[in-house]
Amino acid sequence: MVFFLKILSFEDLVSFFSSNKEKSFLFTFHSMGDRDAVGSAAAFSRYFKNARLGTPDFITSNARRMLKEVSYESKIEIASLSNVEIVVVFDANNIEALDKFGLELLSFKGEVLFIDHHLPVNEQLGNNFLLFSDESYNSTASIIYDLMKRLGFKADKEASILLLNGIISDSADFRNAFAHTFMQIGELLEIANMDYSGIMEYFHESVPIENRYSTIKDLYNSNIQIIGKYLLIYGSADEHANILADMAIKIGADASVFWMVSDKEVSISARLRPPLDKEYSIHLGRIMQNASKIINGSGGGHPCAAGAYGPKKENAEKIANYIIEEIRKALGRK
């Protein structure tokens, strides 16, 4: 018998947590959890007395600094299904995004709920797997803030800082933002008693100088190509391929692709300047989904911001060339 992942509406999502609030939860997120994934899970977990916060492997240095800022770093553990009735996965929509822990979920008898803001993948799982995914949100943290308000959970300063981290860090300098995004940021800044310049200075200081040095150096050594009237910047990175992709757009690129190879895997990030996605019918999330097979991994994202990662490190340049060629073909249509 074949089962399909069940899609939930926002009202379904509200009902799910209202009816299960006394259950024992594991709140987790995608492999190498970033500020959106970790911040969303950490903020939401504060409102459930039987919720544990666990990572499938590890979290990014920026996410660790975020948790330290709100004195939450000691509350995260390695994800375990022991004494858990429901698993909620933040900022992911498939089990591959959780690396080896995703395989453990296949034998889990309780419900598994994915909450995400990216293009859903076509995946057949058990009928205990549920998904809420809505691309009209710029981040998972944005979804969680709306969900908190509907459930009557009042955000405090710590929760607001966690959610601000997720919303702002996943906004690609607000190229993925909506009017609703800015309204949420305004409300959360007020609750946290911070102004926008203060939170941006906090973001700047949270990145060590050696990381910023490495990013600027990698950008200087990148490749630039003219495609008609557009600029494409691409290259390899020592670390933080996503930051490089964002920075390239900031300095004038119309599209960017950067990749890095770690001891464990290859990761790749791509960005596109809006509204080129609409003008040329480009969806970077779909490109990443297809490309991720090249590295035996997973990928996805928004039309203008997406990423992929996988263990087949020897195919790093192959996946990069595939994505670059897809962007070239799309931008060269007119």
Side-chain angles (χ1 to χ4, degrees):
M1 184 180 295
V2 176
F3 299 104
F4 294 90
L5 189 148
K6 181 180 178 182
I7 306 298
L8 302 185
S9 68
F10 189 79
E11 294 305 318
D12 293 333
L13 196 62
V14 173
S15 298
F16 179 87
F17 286 106
S18 295
S19 59
N20 291 302
K21 60 183 178 182
E22 301 299 324
K23 298 276 184 74
S24 57
F25 286 94
L26 169 67
F27 286 177
T28 188
F29 36 79
H30 61 71
S31 174
M32 299 184 295
D34 56 15
R35 281 182 287 189
D36 185 30
V38 178
S40 299
F44 203 49
S45 70
R46 296 164 61 84
Y47 303 92
F48 294 84
K49 62 181 180 180
N50 297 318
R52 301 202 318 263
L53 184 63
T55 174
D57 42 27
F58 59 91
I59 64 176
T60 65
S61 56
N62 284 338
R64 285 196 300 272
R65 283 189 287 270
M66 172 189 68
L67 292 179
K68 186 176 181 180
E69 180 76 14
V70 294
S71 302
Y72 217 81
E73 56 187 334
S74 64
K75 298 183 181 181
I76 192 166
E77 56 189 53
I78 296 298
S80 167
L81 296 175
S82 176
N83 298 317
V84 171
E85 295 176 275
I86 297 174
V87 176
V88 183
V89 184
F90 294 78
D91 205 31
N93 57 32
N94 60 86
I95 59 170
E96 284 80 6
L98 284 83
D99 201 24
K100 294 179 181 178
F101 184 66
L103 298 177
E104 294 183 38
L105 289 179
L106 288 176
S107 58
F108 180 62
K109 301 303 181 184
E111 289 181 302
V112 179
L113 168 63
F114 296 96
I115 302 177
D116 196 25
H117 63 111
H118 296 116
L119 182 74
V121 299
N122 295 320
E123 190 162 27
Q124 297 179 4
L125 296 169
N127 55 0
N128 61 322
F129 283 80
L130 315 171
L131 169 67
F132 174 81
S133 187
D134 189 342
E135 281 194 290
S136 70
Y137 286 92
N138 88 303
S139 60
T140 299
S142 181
I143 296 171
I144 296 305
Y145 183 44
D146 271 2
L147 182 58
M148 283 169 52
K149 290 199 292 185
R150 279 294 306 276
L151 290 167
F153 300 159
K154 187 174 181 180
D156 56 15
K157 180 173 182 176
E158 288 74 20
S160 297
I161 290 173
L162 290 166
L163 294 173
L164 279 166
N165 266 271
I167 293 171
I168 296 174
S169 66
D170 238 39
S171 72
D173 283 337
F174 300 111
R175 288 185 300 279
N176 296 328
F178 305 93
H180 188 58
T181 312
F182 295 101
M183 292 173 63
Q184 289 183 318
I185 290 172
E187 292 175 10
L188 290 167
L189 285 172
E190 187 172 6
I191 295 169
N193 194 27
M194 302 177 74
D195 58 29
Y196 185 70
S197 61
I199 193 80
M200 293 313 293
E201 181 62 19
Y202 156 78
F203 268 72
H204 180 76
E205 290 179 350
S206 72
V207 182
I209 189 170
E210 59 270 19
N211 290 0
R212 284 184 271 138
Y213 172 84
S214 175
T215 299
I216 293 171
K217 180 170 63 70
D218 286 338
L219 188 59
Y220 178 80
N221 292 323
S222 61
N223 302 288
I224 306 174
Q225 184 178 24
I226 298 175
I227 306 170
K229 57 182 179 179
Y230 301 117
L231 282 179
L232 169 65
I233 299 182
Y234 60 95
S236 62
D238 287 333
E239 55 182 337
H240 305 305
N242 60 324
I243 295 176
L244 268 170
D246 287 336
M247 189 177 292
I249 300 295
K250 282 183 185 180
I251 64 172
D254 298 291
S256 62
V257 180
F258 284 90
W259 61 95
M260 64 164 288
V261 180
S262 67
D263 292 337
K264 181 182 176 183
E265 64 186 8
V266 54
S267 60
I268 187 163
S269 293
R271 302 289 185 267
L272 187 70
R273 177 179 61 80
L276 295 181
D277 60 315
K278 296 179 177 64
E279 291 180 16
Y280 290 87
S281 300
I282 305 173
H283 197 300
L284 292 180
R286 292 193 180 94
I287 293 174
M288 285 293 180
Q289 278 188 13
N290 294 330
S292 64
K293 301 180 182 71
I294 298 171
I295 51 175
N296 291 350
S298 61
H302 291 290
C304 291
Y309 57 91
K312 201 165 184 179
K313 298 184 290 184
E314 64 271 22
N315 281 357
E317 289 197 14
K318 185 176 180 180
I319 186 174
N321 289 335
Y322 173 86
I323 294 165
I324 291 167
E325 185 57 30
E326 288 296 299
I327 294 172
R328 281 177 183 152
K329 286 191 297 186
L331 292 181
R333 285 180 192 141
K334 290 185 180 180

